Amino acid sequence: MAVVRSKAVLLLAAVMLASMAQLCMGARRRMELYRPDPATMLSFHEGGAVLHGDIPVSILWYGKFSAAQKSVIVDFLLSLAAEPQAAAAPSVAQWWSTIDQQYLSPVASASSNGAGKETTRLLLASQLSDEACSIGSSLTLAQITALAATTKPQRGGIALVFTAQDVAVEGFGMGRCSMHGSDAGAGAGTAYIWVGNPAMQCPGQCAWPFHQPAYGPQDPPLVAPNGEVGVDGMVMNLASMLAGAVTNPFGDAYYQGSSDAPLEACTACTGKFGTGSYPGYAGDLKVDPATGASYNANGARGRKYLLPALYDISTSACSTLV
C-alpha cells in the first residue's frame, strides 16, 4: 500500500510540474505577443508645435545667487549650444542632440516639406537680477508667470525664472520642483520655465540623488559634481523642463497621457540617470576620481553634470547617457 501511495504522489507531482511549465510557457508567450497600445505611449500629436532652430533664452535670477552658482547654470546652457563632439563623451551636447534628432527635427522637417535641416540651439539672449525680491519671497504660480514676462522673451524663445533657496513658491517640494508653460505675456510662440533652488526647502525631493531622499531607503547621497547640492539639483530639473518646453511647449505636441498632466520626454523617465536604475537607485554613473562626484555628462569649461534619462520614441524605453 505504501508503494502505491508513493507512486501516486510522484505522479501527482509530475502532473503539477508539467502544468506549471505549461502555464509559464503560456505566460511568456503572451508577454511576447503583447504590444502596448500606441495611444497610451508618449508620441507626437498631429498639429502640435515644437520649438526648433535658434531658441533665444532670457534669464531672471530672483533672489540672491552667488556668481559661482550662476556660472554652474550658465555653463550648462552654453553646453547645450555646443557641437556634440566639443566635450568628451558622454556630453551635454550629445544629450541635447538626441532631443533634436528624435523629437524636434522630424516635426520641423515635416512642417517645412523637408527643408528644415537646421539644428536646435539655445542662445543666451539676456539676464536680469532681482536680488531684493521685488514682489516678495513667497510666490504663487501666477506670480511666476508674471516674472517670466518681465524678461521679455522673444518669439520662439524661452524665459527662465530661477528662484533662490530662501524663496518659497506655491507647491515647491510638494510634488513640484520646477515647471514649464507658455503664458509669459509676450504673445504667441513663447514659453517659460521656473526652477527653484531646493537646498533649504526640499533637497530630498528636488536634489536627489545628491541628498538623501525624502522617503524610502536612506542610502548615502552621491557627491554633487559642481559642489552645490541645490544648484546641481537645479540643473537636473532645468534639463527636464527644457526637454519638455521644446518638445511640448504649448501642451499639444509630444506627451503621454492627459494634456492637463502630461508625461514628457524626461518626466516619463523620472529617477533614471544611468544603466540599471530603479526606484531609489540612480543607476551606474561615472565617478570623477579627483572629487568622487557622480555624473553622466561632460559640459562646457570642463563642467560635469547629471542629466535625466530621455524617453526613446524608437524603442519606447528610457535611454540614459551611461
Side-chain angles (χ1 to χ4, degrees):
M1 181 66 70
V3 174
V4 173
R5 286 180 178 173
S6 296
K7 288 183 176 179
V9 170
L10 289 172
L11 179 60
L12 179 60
V15 170
M16 291 178 65
L17 287 172
S19 298
M20 290 176 64
Q22 288 180 340
L23 285 170
C24 289
M25 291 176 64
R28 181 180 298 175
R29 179 61 177 161
R30 286 193 294 274
M31 287 299 293
E32 290 173 350
L33 292 174
Y34 173 72
R35 294 292 182 272
D37 181 357
T40 65
M41 298 164 65
L42 195 154
S43 60
F44 180 69
H45 292 70
E46 198 64 35
V50 301
L51 299 183
H52 189 256
D54 287 346
I55 302 174
V57 172
S58 305
I59 297 177
L60 172 63
W61 304 96
Y62 192 82
K64 293 183 179 180
F65 287 88
S66 69
Q69 290 176 325
K70 290 181 179 180
S71 68
V72 172
I73 294 175
V74 170
D75 284 350
F76 170 67
L77 294 172
L78 294 176
S79 302
L80 296 171
E83 293 294 328
Q85 64 273 19
S91 68
V92 174
Q94 178 186 342
W95 179 85
W96 185 251
S97 178
T98 299
I99 295 175
D100 190 17
Q101 292 173 15
Q102 286 205 12
Y103 288 84
L104 309 180
S105 291
V107 177
S109 180
S111 64
S112 60
N113 296 319
K117 300 296 183 183
E118 61 179 337
T119 58
T120 297
R121 301 182 303 166
L122 292 185
L123 304 178
L124 189 55
S126 63
Q127 297 187 61
L128 298 174
S129 292
D130 186 351
E131 289 193 1
C133 298
S134 59
I135 60 173
S137 57
S138 182
L139 306 176
T140 65
L141 297 184
Q143 288 175 310
I144 291 291
T145 302
L147 287 173
T150 66
T151 70
K152 296 180 171 56
Q154 301 174 35
R155 182 178 177 82
I158 301 174
L160 301 180
V161 177
F162 299 124
T163 52
Q165 62 183 7
D166 57 349
V167 175
V169 175
E170 179 184 348
F172 191 25
M174 294 180 287
R176 179 182 294 121
C177 300
S178 52
M179 71 175 183
H180 76 85
S182 58
D183 181 16
T190 61
Y192 73 90
I193 291 172
W194 159 72
V195 181
N197 185 338
M200 290 175 55
Q201 300 179 57
C202 48
Q205 181 176 346
C206 299
W208 181 86
F210 300 130
H211 189 281
Q212 287 184 308
Y215 49 84
Q218 297 297 298
D219 293 332
L222 303 180
V223 178
N226 296 287
E228 282 267 2
V229 169
V231 176
D232 276 301
M234 289 182 73
V235 171
M236 293 187 298
N237 297 321
L238 172 60
S240 181
M241 290 299 99
L242 281 171
V246 296
T247 61
N248 191 37
F250 313 117
D252 59 2
Y254 285 99
Y255 65 90
Q256 173 184 342
S258 167
S259 60
D260 295 327
L263 291 177
E264 299 174 328
C266 282
T267 55
C269 301
T270 299
K272 297 179 182 292
F273 297 94
T275 303
S277 62
Y278 54 82
Y281 176 61
D284 300 331
L285 305 173
K286 288 185 170 295
V287 177
D288 187 330
T291 64
S294 296
Y295 69 101
N296 62 7
N298 293 291
R301 301 177 184 175
R303 294 281 190 189
K304 293 176 172 58
Y305 298 102
L306 186 62
L307 303 184
L310 290 166
Y311 183 84
D312 188 325
I313 292 179
S314 64
T315 62
S316 301
C318 296
S319 176
T320 58
L321 282 169
V322 295

